[in-house]
Amino acid sequence: MPTVEVGDLSDGDFLLDVREDDEWQAGHAEGALHIPISDFVARYGELTEAAPQDGRIHVICRSGGRSAQVAMYLAQQGIDAVNVDGGMQVWAAVGRPVVDDKGRPGFVL
């Protein structure tokens, strides 16, 4: 499974957060698309509408397990997808901004 480090991501990179609603509400990367892994297959169309046509999808969760599953599924569909190694835990640890569902400073649940 292809992976990228949090430090390798640029501000304009497309980020898909597959954590559950409570995790998202507590804190997420601003601008990320949220589709919980539990709803992913049913909401797959939302991703294909929002994702860049020929761009890479960076999939993130709390630590990297769930996002690896989704990235692997997307790769099997012929989509350029990579897992963000260490997930939101590393994202927050290296000082990347985390916001809650109201846009205020958040935290990783």
Side-chain angles (χ1 to χ4, degrees):
M1 169 52 34
T3 62
V4 295
E5 303 291 326
V6 169
D8 295 333
L9 294 173
S10 301
D11 287 341
D13 288 338
F14 186 84
L15 193 62
L16 170 64
D17 190 324
V18 297
R19 296 174 304 143
E20 295 303 320
D21 289 336
D22 60 335
E23 296 172 287
W24 170 265
Q25 291 165 0
H28 57 271
E30 192 169 13
L33 174 65
H34 178 231
I35 302 176
I37 192 170
S38 59
D39 295 338
F40 187 74
V41 174
R43 294 176 57 190
Y44 182 74
E46 292 177 43
L47 173 64
T48 58
E49 288 179 20
Q53 291 297 323
D54 294 321
R56 175 172 276 180
I57 297 173
H58 301 84
V59 188
I60 197 165
C61 66
R62 183 172 187 266
S63 61
R66 291 172 285 178
S67 54
Q69 292 175 36
V70 171
M72 187 176 303
Y73 172 80
L74 292 172
Q76 290 170 346
Q77 308 308 309
I79 295 172
D80 183 9
V82 295
N83 184 37
V84 179
D85 193 37
M88 286 300 298
Q89 289 179 321
V90 171
W91 180 279
V94 300
R96 293 270 184 132
V98 177
V99 296
D100 69 11
D101 61 341
K102 306 263 193 275
R104 300 177 301 224
F107 63 93
V108 177
L109 184 63

